[in-house]
Structure formats: structure tokens, C-alpha cells
Amino acid sequence: MSRSSNTSRLAKQIRTQTSLTLSTASRIAQQVNVYLGSPVADSPDPYQRRLEAHIAHVLADSFRDRQLNSALLGVREAQPEGQSLKLTLDSGMADEVLRELLPRFDHYYGGIRGVPGLRVRQSKGRWALHDALGSARVTLVRSDRGIMRLPAARGGEVLLWKRVPSSLEKREAEEWVDSEGVGDLWVRDVLLSRVLRSPGLVNRTAKPHGFANCYTHHSGDLVIEWCCGDTVEALCANLLAHGFADGLSQGAVIELSSRHSAHLGDHTVILNRHDSCQYGRGAERVTEYIRKSYA
């Protein structure tokens, strides 16, 4: 099928999925500049989607603008494994991904960091992270197939993942399930899970400099900010072409608030692009600083 036919078909799909006009949908569809094959299918298990969403949320808030090698959440590749998910991590960030996900009580923070209820076991040279309070599971491997080190406690920390889940940890886990102020938990879990399952697309925001910026406001959103490379419309086009908004209600799919900002899933995934480069020649110095911080 020709590129024009594919663009026309995508434009009609976007028009059907959203409240955008046909001319806007056509303009977006024309900006698809990468095709990574069929999208990684969602897990049919709602508990698995919820865990994946929580993992994406924690990693986004943990890494912010300190990525290596353009790995926005530390992930280079995502592959379904039955009901669960296998994540191939950037070798330079892998140890830190494992550390940020495993729950620990931080006395200085005054609460739990990481994913409450998450536990770890080694299986065939890989680390399997499983929900001690359910059946969901994610497997981690390094891109260079090296060994990941289990984290040690830092000042003021208690490693909860070495213990049986306490009432505090269970309560924190329940807060993610019953988050107040989140409009639609199903949309949140689906879209944040898809962020985790779409590293080839979201990592494009970090590609020009090797890092971008991601963060969260609360338990219901994930923000991605960048300055060079894909425009907001181009990123939206690539996401929509890969099924990112499939199955969502029309009002929750996409809102283009400006040339430089878009909201997907009723502010679940927020995309912001600066209208000029924020780093210029200083990007190399920032990259080197980030690299040294991991060493």
C-alpha cells in the first residue's frame, strides 16, 4: 500500500477517534516519520496493566532529565511474555532502574519510594519483578546481557522488598488502585502501560541530546518535555499510527492545546516541546555530567 493511502487511512482513523477536524487529522497523519511495525499488544490482565502503569509512573518521576543514551525510562525494548512483559534496559541505567522500582522506606522523604508490593527474584539470569499482592510480573534484562546488581540501602532508607509487605506498604499500593482525583483509572492504566510498551517511540524525544525531561504531577499523569527532533504533532502522529489511542473514547484521545503541547487521554499523557533548543552546544556537557553521576 502506498504512503498516500496509508496517510489517508490514518487521517480517517484519527478523525473517527477524535474531535479533530479532517484537515487537522490529515495534517497530523502526514507527519508520521517512523514505523516500528504492529504495536505491542496490551496485556488482557487489568492487574498487569496496572503494574506496568505504576512502573512507568515511578520511572518517569525518578529519572526526570537524567537519562543515558536516549532511554527516557531506562528502557530500550519491550516484549510481551504471555500475560507479562519483558523489558530490555539500557545497560548504563539498568542498575538504577532496578533500584528505583524496588520499594524502600525513605525516612528523609517520609514515605515509600518505588512500587509498593514489588518483590524480586532471579530467574535464568534475569530479574523477575512480581507483585507480592497480586499476580502481575515484569522481567528485566540488560541490553548488553550483563548482570544487574541488587541495590543496597542508602542513608535513611529501609529496603522493604526484603520483607513481607506491611500494612503501610499495602495501604500505599491500594492508593494507586483507588487514586482520588484521577478521572478514569482504566485510561490511566492503559496509556501509561502503553508508554512503557512503546520505548521506540517515546525515546525519540530524548534522541537529539541523549536525554529529555519527564515527570508527574500526581498519580494520574505523566509529562514528557523535549526541545529538538520531533514536533508535538509528529510525535502524536507516530503514537496514533502505532495504536496508542486505540480503544479510548473520543473525548479522551487527544487535545492539541497549542503547536507545542498536546494532551492524550484527558491529560493522562502530556506532551510539551519547547519552541527552541534549550542546550545548544552545552548538551554534550550535560550528557557527560549525567554519565558521571551514574558512575
Side-chain angles (χ1 to χ4, degrees):
M1 187 175 291
S2 67
R3 175 177 173 82
S4 61
S5 296
N6 283 332
T7 299
S8 178
R9 185 177 62 179
L10 177 60
K12 291 177 181 177
Q13 176 186 327
I14 293 172
R15 177 68 183 90
T16 301
Q17 287 182 324
T18 72
S19 57
L20 300 176
T21 64
L22 182 58
S23 61
T24 301
S26 297
R27 186 180 74 237
I28 291 175
Q30 290 169 9
Q31 297 182 63
V32 174
N33 54 20
V34 62
Y35 182 63
L36 304 176
S38 300
V40 177
D42 299 325
S43 171
D45 181 2
Y47 299 102
Q48 180 69 29
R49 293 196 301 268
R50 185 170 297 154
L51 175 62
E52 292 173 17
H54 206 166
I55 286 173
H57 193 270
V58 166
L59 292 179
D61 202 46
S62 299
F63 285 119
R64 294 186 173 256
D65 60 354
R66 58 187 188 96
Q67 298 89 4
L68 290 176
N69 308 316
S70 310
L72 193 75
L73 303 181
V75 179
R76 305 222 66 85
E77 187 177 353
Q79 295 175 305
E81 286 190 327
Q83 296 272 33
S84 62
L85 185 67
K86 172 187 172 184
L87 299 176
T88 300
L89 306 179
D90 182 87
S91 57
M93 297 177 68
D95 288 349
E96 198 69 5
V97 169
L98 186 58
R99 168 181 165 72
E100 293 294 348
L101 291 179
L102 292 177
R104 67 267 186 209
F105 187 86
D106 185 336
H107 284 284
Y108 299 121
Y109 171 65
I112 294 177
R113 295 189 183 275
V115 179
L118 203 61
R119 296 297 184 266
V120 60
R121 58 173 175 263
Q122 194 169 25
S123 174
K124 299 179 181 178
R126 309 185 300 180
W127 291 113
L129 304 183
H130 63 96
D131 182 3
L133 307 174
S135 58
R137 181 171 60 89
V138 170
T139 301
L140 306 181
V141 297
R142 284 170 53 124
S143 56
D144 62 1
R145 296 301 184 265
I147 302 299
M148 273 181 282
R149 297 172 297 178
L150 287 172
R154 295 177 182 173
E157 290 184 345
V158 177
L159 301 180
L160 301 180
W161 52 271
K162 289 189 172 185
R163 305 180 173 195
V164 174
S166 64
S167 57
L168 173 62
E169 195 175 2
K170 291 177 181 177
R171 187 163 62 250
E172 292 256 355
E174 289 169 358
E175 286 182 4
W176 175 259
V177 176
D178 301 316
S179 299
E180 295 183 6
V182 177
D184 192 324
L185 289 169
W186 181 86
V187 170
R188 179 200 67 180
D189 291 349
V190 166
L191 286 192
L192 296 193
S193 169
R194 288 176 181 175
V195 168
L196 192 67
R197 288 174 173 243
S198 307
L201 295 174
V202 298
N203 286 356
R204 290 173 63 84
T205 60
K207 187 175 181 180
H209 297 309
F211 57 91
N213 188 29
C214 51
Y215 58 90
T216 65
H217 294 110
H218 46 69
S219 60
D221 76 356
L222 189 158
V223 183
I224 302 174
E225 291 183 346
W226 71 104
C227 62
C228 296
D230 285 344
T231 64
V232 165
E233 287 192 357
L235 180 58
C236 287
N238 290 323
L239 290 171
L240 294 173
H242 287 81
F244 191 78
D246 288 1
L248 272 63
S249 63
Q250 189 179 70
V253 174
I254 181 173
E255 175 191 346
L256 295 172
S257 52
S258 74
R259 289 177 52 238
H260 305 296
S261 183
H263 306 146
L264 291 93
D266 192 22
H267 294 73
T268 298
V269 177
I270 300 172
L271 307 175
N272 295 322
R273 184 187 188 274
H274 297 282
D275 58 0
S276 61
C277 181
Q278 301 293 295
Y279 303 98
R281 295 181 179 179
E284 292 183 5
R285 293 195 300 272
V286 176
T287 299
E288 186 58 27
Y289 175 81
I290 295 171
R291 197 174 303 281
K292 287 181 178 179
S293 73
Y294 279 88

